[in-house]
Amino acid sequence: MVWKYVCVLALAAMLLLAFSTVSRSKVPRIKEPPGASQIPSQFTEEERVAMKEALQGAIQIPTVSFSAEESNTTALAEFGEYIQKVFPTVFNTSFIQHEVVGEYSYLFTVQGSDPTLQPYMLMAHFDVVPPGEGWEVPPFSGLERDGFIYGRGTLDNKNSVMAILQALKLLLIRNYIPRRSFFIVLGHDEEITGKNGAQKISALLQARGVQLAFIVDECGFILDGFIPNLEKPFAQISVSEKGGINLMMEVNMTPGHSSAPPEETSIGILAAAVSRLEQTPMPNMFGEGPLKITLEHLANEFPFPINIVLGNLWLFQPLISRLMERNYIMNALVRTTTALTMFNAGVKVNVIPQQAQATVNFRIHPAQTVQEVLELIKNIVADDRVQYHVLNAFDPLPISPSDDQALGYQLLRRTIQSVFPEINIVVPGICIANTDSRHFVNLSAGIYQFNPVYLQPQSFSSIHGINEKISVQAYETQVKFIFEFIQNADIDRMPVSHWHEL
Ligand SMILES: *[C@@H]1O[C@H](CO)[C@@H](O)[C@H](O)[C@H]1NC(C)=O
Ligand SMILES: *[C@@H]1O[C@H](CO)[C@@H](O)[C@H](O)[C@H]1NC(C)=O
Ligand SMILES: *[C@@H]1O[C@H](CO)[C@@H](O)[C@H](O)[C@H]1NC(C)=O
Ligand SMILES: [Zn+2]
């Protein structure tokens, strides 16, 4: 979903809205613990050519999810054969098992040498949305032009699928044996809810009693050039994801002739109800979610007096939260949003209809639940004649920890600092739309979303848009990131340290 990426814009807009200049302060680096990254992440020219070509081949398979019911199943099956052909080492290593779930999705179990370490999971998806019209190069060509590989899926999300398998293969041929076990989930229907892929894999792992130390999925990026005056890019790791409700509201009244109308009609009653919903925004939840932590982390990056304002949110919270409401993208970060999307009633010009129906789409803030939002809706509407039908609903992802001892978060942070030494700002954020990781809430309290790729405003609009592309160098860096991340994950726990001390 394109809204998945709005988190990126949202954070940018927030900063843009409130502040104009940013200083260049230093964040203390994490001290390398003993035992990290033993195998250097350096690849031969031949390996680099092979990894590029493997990605190009993956882009050429049109694994399109057309609609909730329709996918290109020929392409999905072909994709499975393709990864077996390109990564035989991964499929033929004694300590790696693979299973095909829901016909096309893949679950890999990589057995580590130390069973006392809790496993983790890497996730990605290989279905793509339809390419649309107007591309500079054919969307399934995987053509290289000016140092970029073009095609649907180069950012969302075959880059991650291929980089995970590629990094694992490169580790295996260097005789790497992991200490910590991990799973790899490659979904085939993420763009259409993941119910046949990720959801079934989650059920399978729950039935096996698996619990995970943490999960890493797509969504966050390294944001570059989104904020004027902030020359430095920064990394955003999503620690939560909004929930949603599609609610159908209905009013039934006695039908009649328009020549002698009753005082109130189904249309009038329902219109008033949805109008009340639109005019009464859900409560501003600023301070209840990761956004506050994000601002506190960023405080030191800003000059006086912004650093003081952000560093003292206990005092300035009301001011900041009001500022944020004024921008519609920021507004989506601070509250559950209400969007009226459908309204149907009436059949004939002179007939008062019996029934009126409207559908409202809510995106739930991480600090609220489906149940709480439904209660609020009924209180706002306050009319017993309105009936409610929940078409579908899911809670936001719980907020994953981002403190010093949060293993998944700190491993991402450490790997960012090693692979992207130029980045000295790493902040937690919210993913505004949905990924496959929401199916795994029962398996882990630490669900993180991060794509180790630079995202500029123009590449942002290519996701689900046209001319989606990734630079060859960015893709190599993504492989390097995962290559180091898997090794970093072999440590027992984050060393007790004082990373925030200045
Ligand atoms: C489905 O994918 C196959 C290749 O696997 C391709 O030949 C075919 O054109 C695709 N169908 C559609 C409708 O895109
Ligand atoms: C996997 O490895 C075994 C033993 O090394 C070998 O006999 C077999 O042919 C390999 N299979 C594939 C598909 O590479
Ligand atoms: C989580 O576990 C509960 C209780 O077993 C179950 O009802 C629910 O469906 C599970 N949720 C997911 C997303 O698997
Ligand atoms: Zn997508």
Side-chain angles (χ1 to χ4, degrees), residues 71-249:
S71 307
N72 188 334
T73 51
T74 315
L76 291 175
E78 194 183 311
F79 195 86
E81 289 159 24
Y82 180 72
I83 56 175
Q84 305 212 21
K85 191 183 88 193
V86 179
F87 305 113
T89 330
V90 172
F91 285 85
N92 202 12
T93 290
S94 60
F95 56 84
I96 302 178
Q97 283 83 50
H98 74 273
E99 293 162 82
V100 178
V101 181
E103 282 186 74
Y104 308 105
S105 285
Y106 277 78
L107 168 64
F108 296 85
T109 305
V110 185
Q111 198 64 52
S113 60
D114 186 345
T116 67
L117 297 179
Q118 194 173 34
Y120 65 100
M121 179 183 280
L122 301 176
M123 296 180 61
H125 68 92
F126 57 87
D127 64 322
V128 297
V129 294
E133 304 288 325
W135 286 66
E136 283 167 26
V137 302
F140 297 109
S141 62
L143 274 181
E144 183 182 352
R145 189 183 275 187
D146 303 327
F148 284 84
I149 296 169
Y150 279 75
R152 177 56 88 229
T154 48
L155 290 171
D156 179 18
N157 182 237
K158 282 178 177 166
N159 58 318
S160 300
V161 170
M162 296 303 284
I164 291 168
L165 295 173
Q166 187 73 62
L168 181 55
K169 171 186 167 174
L170 290 167
L171 282 166
L172 291 170
I173 60 182
R174 286 161 172 76
N175 298 317
Y176 168 74
I177 297 173
R179 279 187 70 210
R180 186 186 293 274
S181 297
F182 60 102
F183 296 92
I184 299 170
V185 169
L186 306 178
H188 76 272
D189 62 347
E190 189 273 353
E191 299 289 359
I192 47 174
T193 76
K195 67 178 187 298
N196 291 316
Q199 195 173 330
K200 285 187 175 159
I201 291 175
S202 172
L204 187 67
L205 293 176
Q206 288 180 61
R208 291 177 188 168
V210 170
Q211 281 292 307
L212 301 165
F214 61 87
I215 293 171
V216 180
D217 196 1
E218 58 166 344
C219 199
F221 282 96
I222 296 172
L223 304 179
D224 183 17
F226 281 85
I227 303 164
N229 301 311
L230 180 57
E231 300 115 69
K232 289 207 165 186
F234 63 98
Q236 183 188 265
I237 301 171
S238 294
V239 295
S240 184
E241 182 176 299
K242 280 189 116 177
I245 306 176
N246 281 318
L247 183 69
M248 203 257 275
M249 294 165 58

Side-chain angles (χ1 to χ4, degrees), residues 140-432:
F140 297 109
S141 62
L143 274 181
E144 183 182 352
R145 189 183 275 187
D146 303 327
F148 284 84
I149 296 169
Y150 279 75
R152 177 56 88 229
T154 48
L155 290 171
D156 179 18
N157 182 237
K158 282 178 177 166
N159 58 318
S160 300
V161 170
M162 296 303 284
I164 291 168
L165 295 173
Q166 187 73 62
L168 181 55
K169 171 186 167 174
L170 290 167
L171 282 166
L172 291 170
I173 60 182
R174 286 161 172 76
N175 298 317
Y176 168 74
I177 297 173
R179 279 187 70 210
R180 186 186 293 274
S181 297
F182 60 102
F183 296 92
I184 299 170
V185 169
L186 306 178
H188 76 272
D189 62 347
E190 189 273 353
E191 299 289 359
I192 47 174
T193 76
K195 67 178 187 298
N196 291 316
Q199 195 173 330
K200 285 187 175 159
I201 291 175
S202 172
L204 187 67
L205 293 176
Q206 288 180 61
R208 291 177 188 168
V210 170
Q211 281 292 307
L212 301 165
F214 61 87
I215 293 171
V216 180
D217 196 1
E218 58 166 344
C219 199
F221 282 96
I222 296 172
L223 304 179
D224 183 17
F226 281 85
I227 303 164
N229 301 311
L230 180 57
E231 300 115 69
K232 289 207 165 186
F234 63 98
Q236 183 188 265
I237 301 171
S238 294
V239 295
S240 184
E241 182 176 299
K242 280 189 116 177
I245 306 176
N246 281 318
L247 183 69
M248 203 257 275
M249 294 165 58
E250 186 176 302
V251 175
N252 284 286
M253 299 292 281
T254 317
H257 196 275
S258 63
S259 57
E263 213 169 298
E264 286 183 291
T265 60
S266 55
I267 293 182
I269 294 165
L270 186 61
V274 296
S275 174
R276 279 198 291 282
L277 273 180
E278 189 169 59
Q279 308 209 339
T280 318
M282 293 288 157
N284 184 326
M285 306 300 286
F286 179 68
E288 305 283 329
L291 189 55
K292 190 176 172 188
I293 308 173
T294 307
L295 291 180
E296 283 164 355
H297 276 246
L298 281 174
N300 288 332
E301 303 298 325
F302 289 90
F304 179 82
I306 297 163
N307 56 348
I308 302 297
V309 172
L310 292 182
N312 292 279
L313 287 176
W314 58 274
L315 181 59
F316 295 106
Q317 181 158 325
L319 171 77
I320 300 273
S321 85
R322 275 199 308 279
L323 267 177
M324 290 192 172
E325 284 185 348
R326 293 194 198 155
N327 173 291
Y328 73 100
I329 296 174
M330 273 322 297
N331 186 49
L333 270 192
V334 299
R335 63 161 42 92
T336 296
T337 53
T338 305
L340 313 184
T341 54
M342 289 165 77
F343 199 108
N344 299 304
V347 285
K348 203 164 181 291
V349 288
N350 59 354
V351 173
I352 292 171
Q354 178 184 345
Q355 189 176 67
Q357 291 183 331
T359 307
V360 191
N361 175 249
F362 298 89
R363 301 294 178 111
I364 306 172
H365 185 276
Q368 290 179 313
T369 63
V370 169
Q371 221 42 54
E372 284 166 9
V373 172
L374 287 174
E375 285 304 312
L376 282 166
I377 292 166
K378 287 172 189 168
N379 286 338
I380 293 167
V381 170
D383 188 334
D384 293 339
R385 294 168 298 182
V386 178
Q387 296 161 353
Y388 302 91
H389 307 277
V390 176
L391 302 180
N392 64 313
F394 50 93
D395 283 322
L397 286 192
I399 297 165
S400 300
S402 54
D403 59 276
D404 283 1
Q405 294 307 305
L407 183 65
Y409 190 87
Q410 294 304 339
L411 287 172
L412 285 169
R413 190 166 177 261
R414 162 180 303 167
T415 314
I416 290 166
Q417 293 187 338
S418 158
V419 177
F420 303 96
E422 70 281 14
I423 301 290
N424 57 26
I425 311 172
V426 179
V427 293
I430 304 177
C431 185
I432 285 194

Side-chain angles (χ1 to χ4, degrees), residues 199 202-203 206 437-443:
Q199 195 173 330
S202 172
Q206 288 180 61
S437 41
R438 75 177 186 281
H439 299 300
F440 292 86
V441 287
N442 281 354
L443 286 136

